Amino acid sequence: MSALDDWVAAVTVDLGLEGPVDRSLVLDLARDVAHGVARPAAPLTTYLLGLAVGAGADPREAAKKIAALAEGWNPDRVSDTVLED
């Protein structure tokens, strides 16, 4: 196992989480968000993914939605929408 695998396994046990963690899913999502939005958005987004999964969302579907949002990210469009609401 790599140091990353060891770390994920240790955190999973310490937090009492069940089942395997799809680290590639999380790391790929973080990469997509870092490149499509901003680097600081990556850890925040993966946290939001965790909240969604904890609330019952399918991890792959939630990551797919977030990746699509990051791919087409246009901060000007969002700012205009927020200001209009």
Side-chain angles (χ1 to χ4, degrees), residues 32-64:
D32 293 345
V33 171
H35 291 152
V37 181
R39 282 184 75 99
L44 295 171
T45 302
T46 56
Y47 173 74
L48 294 172
L49 173 65
L51 290 177
V53 171
D58 176 80
R60 292 198 176 281
E61 287 301 314
K64 188 175 175 181

Side-chain angles (χ1 to χ4, degrees), residues 4-5 8-9 12 17-30 46 49 53 58-61 63:
L4 182 57
D5 291 328
V8 171
T12 300
L17 300 175
E18 295 181 17
V21 173
D22 188 346
R23 73 176 185 161
S24 294
L25 177 78
V26 176
L27 293 176
D28 290 347
L29 178 61
T46 56
L49 173 65
V53 171
D58 176 80
R60 292 198 176 281
E61 287 301 314

Side-chain angles (χ1 to χ4, degrees), residues 36-37 69-70 72-85:
V37 181
L69 182 62
W73 184 248
N74 178 350
D76 295 331
R77 184 193 75 215
V78 174
S79 296
D80 292 343
T81 303
V82 171
L83 291 175
E84 291 174 4
D85 287 345

